[in-house]
Amino acid sequence: MLKPGSMIGILGGGQLGRMLALAAARLGLKCHTYAPENDSPAFQVSAAHTVAGYDDLDALEVFARSVDVVTYEFENVPVEAVIFLEALAPARPGSKALATAQDRLKEKHLARSLGALTAEFSAVNSLDELRSAVGRIGFPAVLKTNRLGYDGKGQAKISSDDDVAGAWAAVHGQPSILESFVNFRSEVSVIGARGLDGQFVAYDVTENVHRNHILHTSSVPAKIEGALAAKAIEIARGMAEALDYVGVMGTELFVGEGGVYVNEIAPRVHNSGHWTQDACVVSQFEQHIRAISGWPLGSTERHSNVVMTNILGQDAADWAKFAGQANSGLHFYGKAEARENRKMGHINVLTPRQA
Amino acid sequence: MLKPGSMIGILGGGQLGRMLALAAARLGLKCHTYAPENDSPAFQVSAAHTVAGYDDLDALEVFARSVDVVTYEFENVPVEAVIFLEALAPARPGSKALATAQDRLKEKHLARSLGALTAEFSAVNSLDELRSAVGRIGFPAVLKTNRLGYDGKGQAKISSDDDVAGAWAAVHGQPSILESFVNFRSEVSVIGARGLDGQFVAYDVTENVHRNHILHTSSVPAKIEGALAAKAIEIARGMAEALDYVGVMGTELFVGEGGVYVNEIAPRVHNSGHWTQDACVVSQFEQHIRAISGWPLGSTERHSNVVMTNILGQDAADWAKFAGQANSGLHFYGKAEARENRKMGHINVLTPRQA
């Protein structure tokens, strides 16, 4: 167990790193944030920070030697950086989880190997392979780069033969995956945490609504049958165990014909878990810090019902309206520039659990 | 209303400043912390900090010009520093509230002028005056320096004529106040907030237990009749209005014969309001930041029952035990040295409100 006063190293300085640093501070732990961008939001609340690239081995080494444990706040950190760091300091979650989460094919194979449902899928490395995959999977389908996509970037929908060539152009010839379209009733996620001792806990299953491929709201309780919720949590637990995972992991699932389908995992705290900041005594951020610090995991009990809504750049001018909303936890990320679709903050609106 | 991204200046770098800075960060506001001590806990989570004395006018001026509003986290900041600063930037609460809270006589006169009960009291500036005050007030009584006391420092109990000379020696000849001993059933406090627009809100009245003059636990709900709780809140509101107060103010009261007695006010967030961090959606720290930033005040609704227990230096070695406590919000202040009776952290243990 890391003592209060220990130093946690965080790769990435965005809002997730910022909220991790705030949660660590609450527990008396310090953070050293490492990010390439000069004005990273997490720097404002970190005891120390380094501005350097993820390929700067000298800077990474100095960073590793200054901290007691390393974690990351986003999954597009190069896995090589984490492999380099984990020779110098404990990295949690480790490179294995990161490598899997960065690779949609590995991710889906893992889910299938655990008996979970997923979309039909096929690896695609050429236009010819795409044509034959489309023949097998049918319409509609989605072509995604196998790596480094998020918030709908690097994706193209294929509804007919006319879309095939355009979709292949959209992924710029990168190794890709064609996925069938899951006809889903709802989207849900599981925010789970696995401790250093293997203990697994999960928050209540969350129901998510996306707009333009960006998370819009997360609501708890989710409208989902108890057995399906339990199944979703069991899948998340299985994935975490298979990856020797330590920390908080987000698992996104579709609720569709025949059960829950794994969409993807995020090896980090997750936007759909932000509601835990105000509806639980221990947030996903504190939970992650507890796990990677070797602490006992905290309570996942939920004291209130809650709807989390993201505040994007185009909504940020309305900040005063959000500030006046009753019974709400409001969070802004300290970002200077309010660009279209940029995540600027979120608001958790609570209602009594018994209501 | 200060926009997200604005800079809040905080005088004092202890745990209260640290928790104010954490609450400000949540709202996207930055903090510049000013304190004389190099290793101030608040520096670890502040976007900027200055190490300088409260009498360093050059440093105070640079500080004032770097911030959008000034506040303070403890009441022993010299009032001259706040008077100097408020010519350069808005200071909230202002020097009037600070000067009153620093002076036990002014404080008691104010409470009496509002029709509130207080202990009997008498100004004492010499051993002769002490003798005659003791004759009037009787035994037991407490002699306190009129200014700069906290956590039982600068106080002496007088139970008989034998204690008089020793008590006068204990206050080192400083201007003092003799107070009668209120025979109290319980100690309570009101954590209230007054906005820039004059709106006043209060959290539920809190029941406090002290050990060795240091707050040990705060419990909510308090065991107090509704009418007395309402009276306590009305007194707190009256004090805040009389002081043109902006921000969070703590009012400590005794529940005794005939009603509630004002003990003292703290012109700042207060240890007995730490429970709001985990039992309310808007904590006293966020409430203070909202008030001084000209934002609408947040909800004071309480979703859970709660007992806050302070963790002192002699308890801090048990941190792992606290870390494992169920359904609890744990807070450490990032202090390196665990001295006897030093406040190192606190824990808020929640139970369902309906239980």
Side-chain angles (χ1 to χ4, degrees):
Chain A
M1 284 179 75
L2 295 187
K3 280 189 192 168
S6 301
M7 186 71 86
I8 291 171
I10 303 176
L11 295 171
Q15 66 267 19
L16 301 180
R18 178 184 172 98
M19 292 185 278
L20 285 170
L22 291 172
R26 193 173 131 120
L27 297 177
L29 296 158
K30 294 181 200 162
C31 287
H32 182 160
T33 298
Y34 185 111
E37 301 83 8
N38 236 315
D39 61 343
S40 296
F43 292 169
Q44 296 164 20
V45 295
S46 298
H49 69 263
T50 296
V51 180
Y54 296 120
D55 56 354
D56 182 338
L57 298 187
D58 292 338
L60 285 173
E61 182 169 349
V62 172
F63 170 71
R65 298 205 188 283
S66 78
V67 302
D68 297 296
V69 64
V70 170
T71 191
Y72 40 87
E73 61 120 37
F74 82 131
E75 67 271 35
N76 291 343
V77 170
V79 74
E80 296 74 17
V82 175
I83 291 170
F84 177 80
L85 289 167
E86 67 194 351
L88 302 168
R92 298 171 188 155
S95 57
K96 183 177 171 187
L98 183 62
T100 303
Q102 285 184 351
D103 187 313
R104 294 183 195 280
L105 282 166
K106 279 192 191 163
E107 208 174 50
K108 286 222 165 27
H109 281 298
L110 173 61
R112 289 278 180 107
S113 76
L114 296 167
L117 301 173
T118 71
E120 297 302 312
F121 63 96
S122 197
V124 168
N125 292 296
S126 68
L127 183 55
D128 275 353
E129 286 184 17
L130 177 57
R131 288 212 172 91
S132 84
V134 165
R136 198 162 50 251
I137 286 173
F139 302 115
V142 192
L143 184 67
K144 301 176 178 175
T145 57
N146 195 39
R147 297 166 54 91
L148 300 181
Y150 67 99
D151 286 352
K153 289 167 181 131
Q155 300 195 6
K157 189 170 172 187
I158 301 179
S159 303
S160 74
D161 283 323
D162 295 346
D163 296 335
V164 172
W168 182 242
V171 299
H172 300 290
Q174 294 174 85
S176 294
I177 177 175
L178 187 73
E179 300 179 10
S180 68
F181 220 79
V182 176
N183 200 0
F184 61 81
R185 265 203 329 266
S186 65
E187 295 178 84
V188 298
S189 56
V190 175
I191 306 301
R194 190 161 177 270
L196 197 54
D197 61 356
Q199 190 201 355
F200 181 87
V201 299
Y203 293 93
D204 286 348
V205 170
T206 306
E207 185 165 346
N208 303 316
V209 173
H210 289 80
R211 281 192 186 166
N212 305 317
H213 299 283
I214 299 169
L215 184 64
H216 174 52
T217 59
S218 291
S219 303
V220 193
K223 284 187 232 70
I224 181 176
E225 298 85 335
L228 286 182
K231 177 73 183 169
I233 289 171
E234 274 315 297
I235 292 169
R237 180 203 298 265
M239 304 276 279
E241 284 174 357
L243 295 169
D244 299 323
Y245 201 90
V246 177
V248 163
M249 188 176 94
T251 305
E252 296 183 38
L253 307 103
F254 300 121
V255 182
E257 193 81 29
V260 289
Y261 291 69
V262 174
N263 180 28
E264 61 182 28
I265 60 170
R268 52 166 171 82
V269 288
H270 194 257
N271 195 165
S272 73
H274 289 1
W275 61 268
T276 60
Q277 292 176 304
D278 293 299
C280 299
V281 70
V282 173
S283 73
Q284 66 163 346
F285 300 100
E286 177 174 333
Q287 200 69 272
H288 185 74
I289 296 293
R290 282 176 169 264
I292 66 169
S293 301
W295 286 35
L297 298 179
S299 307
T300 54
E301 271 182 67
R302 178 172 58 79
H303 52 68
S304 301
N305 293 347
V306 56
V307 177
M308 189 279 324
T309 303
N310 271 331
I311 301 173
L312 303 182
Q314 57 271 32
D315 313 317
D318 284 340
W319 64 272
K321 184 192 77 185
F322 295 113
Q325 184 141 354
N327 217 25
S328 298
L330 181 59
H331 304 258
F332 284 114
Y333 307 149
K335 295 180 183 177
E337 204 192 332
R339 292 195 296 271
E340 171 99 6
N341 286 343
R342 189 181 199 199
K343 291 176 180 170
M344 300 298 289
H346 64 276
I347 186 166
N348 290 322
V349 180
L350 302 190
T351 47
R353 185 157 180 166
Q354 278 74 11
Chain B
M1 285 180 75
L2 295 187
K3 278 189 193 171
S6 301
M7 187 71 87
I8 291 171
I10 303 177
L11 295 171
Q15 66 266 20
L16 301 180
R18 178 184 172 97
M19 292 186 278
L20 285 169
L22 292 172
R26 192 174 132 120
L27 297 177
L29 296 158
K30 293 181 202 162
C31 288
H32 182 160
T33 299
Y34 185 110
E37 302 83 9
N38 236 315
D39 60 344
S40 296
F43 291 170
Q44 296 164 21
V45 294
S46 298
H49 69 264
T50 296
V51 181
Y54 296 120
D55 56 355
D56 182 338
L57 298 186
D58 292 338
L60 284 173
E61 181 169 349
V62 172
F63 170 70
R65 297 203 188 283
S66 78
V67 301
D68 297 296
V69 65
V70 170
T71 192
Y72 41 88
E73 61 122 34
F74 82 134
E75 66 272 36
N76 291 343
V77 170
V79 73
E80 296 74 18
V82 175
I83 291 170
F84 177 80
L85 288 168
E86 69 194 352
L88 302 168
R92 298 172 187 153
S95 56
K96 182 177 172 187
L98 183 62
T100 303
Q102 285 183 351
D103 187 311
R104 294 183 195 279
L105 282 165
K106 278 192 191 164
E107 207 174 51
K108 286 221 167 23
H109 281 298
L110 173 61
R112 289 277 181 108
S113 76
L114 296 167
L117 302 174
T118 71
E120 297 303 311
F121 63 95
S122 196
V124 168
N125 293 295
S126 68
L127 183 54
D128 277 353
E129 286 184 17
L130 176 57
R131 288 212 172 90
S132 84
V134 165
R136 199 163 49 251
I137 286 173
F139 303 116
V142 192
L143 184 68
K144 299 176 178 176
T145 56
N146 195 39
R147 297 165 53 92
L148 299 182
Y150 66 99
D151 285 352
K153 287 166 182 132
Q155 301 196 7
K157 190 171 171 187
I158 301 179
S159 303
S160 74
D161 283 325
D162 296 346
D163 296 336
V164 172
W168 182 242
V171 299
H172 300 289
Q174 295 173 84
S176 294
I177 176 174
L178 187 73
E179 299 180 10
S180 68
F181 219 80
V182 176
N183 199 0
F184 61 81
R185 266 203 329 266
S186 65
E187 296 179 83
V188 298
S189 56
V190 175
I191 306 300
R194 191 161 176 269
L196 197 55
D197 60 356
Q199 190 201 356
F200 181 88
V201 298
Y203 293 94
D204 286 348
V205 170
T206 306
E207 185 166 346
N208 303 316
V209 173
H210 289 79
R211 281 191 186 168
N212 306 317
H213 299 283
I214 299 170
L215 184 64
H216 175 52
T217 58
S218 292
S219 303
V220 194
K223 283 187 231 70
I224 182 176
E225 298 85 335
L228 286 181
K231 177 73 183 169
I233 289 171
E234 272 317 295
I235 291 169
R237 180 204 298 266
M239 304 276 280
E241 284 174 358
L243 295 169
D244 298 324
Y245 201 90
V246 177
V248 164
M249 187 176 94
T251 305
E252 296 183 39
L253 307 102
F254 299 121
V255 182
E257 194 81 28
V260 289
Y261 292 70
V262 174
N263 179 28
E264 60 181 32
I265 60 170
R268 52 165 171 81
V269 287
H270 194 257
N271 195 167
S272 73
H274 289 1
W275 62 268
T276 60
Q277 292 175 304
D278 293 298
C280 298
V281 69
V282 174
S283 73
Q284 66 164 347
F285 300 99
E286 177 173 333
Q287 201 69 273
H288 185 74
I289 296 293
R290 283 176 169 264
I292 66 169
S293 301
W295 286 36
L297 299 179
S299 307
T300 54
E301 271 182 68
R302 177 173 58 79
H303 52 69
S304 301
N305 293 346
V306 57
V307 177
M308 188 275 330
T309 304
N310 271 331
I311 301 174
L312 303 182
Q314 57 271 34
D315 313 318
D318 284 341
W319 64 272
K321 185 192 78 184
F322 295 114
Q325 183 142 354
N327 217 26
S328 298
L330 180 60
H331 304 258
F332 284 113
Y333 307 150
K335 296 180 181 176
E337 204 192 332
R339 291 194 297 271
E340 171 99 5
N341 285 342
R342 188 180 200 198
K343 291 176 180 170
M344 300 298 290
H346 65 275
I347 186 166
N348 291 322
V349 180
L350 302 190
T351 47
R353 185 157 181 166
Q354 278 74 10

